[in-house]
């Protein structure tokens, strides 16, 4: 399912909203999650999961174009997702 399909499903399933409103809801949700992660906070949706930002520390590597050359891969902030109980149970088929 892509974003357009999600918007269409949300508009169909939630009574009283159209596609434009559904799109705005999805955009506000994703923008809020991104802003919180950039600020180093977690976003938890109980039962579904937790979005976190973590730092992947710098490390040594090998230049793939010149295998004899060692390079330093800089540290970077990455997004992580930890599944919640209800999502885990649904995927296991017990819910």
């Amino acid at each position: 399912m892509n974003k357009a399909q999600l918007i269409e499903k949300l508009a169909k399933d939630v009574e009283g909203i159209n596609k434009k409103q559904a799109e705005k809801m999805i955009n506000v949700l994703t923008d809020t999650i991104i802003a919180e992660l950039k600020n180093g906070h977690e976003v938890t949706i109980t039962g579904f999961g937790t979005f976190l930002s973590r730092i992947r520390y710098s490390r040594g590597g090998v230049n793939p174009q010149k295998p004899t050359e060692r390079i330093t891969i800089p540290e970077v902030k990455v997004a992580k997702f930890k599944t919640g109980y209800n999502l885990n149970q649904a995927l296991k088929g017990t819910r």
Side-chain angles (χ1 to χ4, degrees):
M1 175 179 282
N2 62 29
K3 185 177 178 181
Q5 292 167 328
L6 180 61
I7 290 168
E8 192 171 316
K9 176 119 174 85
L10 187 62
K12 187 178 94 178
D13 291 351
V14 177
E15 192 174 314
I17 68 167
N18 58 32
K19 284 186 184 180
K20 196 80 160 161
Q21 293 167 322
E23 181 177 10
K24 185 170 182 159
M25 289 170 59
I26 297 292
N27 289 338
V28 168
L29 176 67
T30 55
D31 291 346
T32 303
I33 291 171
I34 290 169
E36 289 299 310
L37 293 178
K38 284 174 77 172
N39 291 327
H41 300 116
E42 295 181 359
V43 177
T44 301
I45 302 172
T46 305
F48 181 71
T50 303
F51 296 91
L52 323 129
S53 63
R54 293 284 182 244
I55 293 179
R56 187 183 304 149
Y57 295 103
S58 63
R59 61 197 189 279
V62 177
N63 182 347
Q65 295 174 337
K66 299 177 188 172
T68 58
E69 182 183 331
R70 300 287 298 165
I71 58 172
T72 301
I73 302 167
E75 84 176 21
V76 64
K77 192 182 277 191
V78 294
K80 299 281 185 180
F81 180 74
K82 193 166 48 172
T83 58
Y85 179 79
N86 291 345
L87 179 57
N88 278 332
Q89 296 305 310
L91 293 175
K92 288 179 184 176
T94 58
R95 255 191 181 223

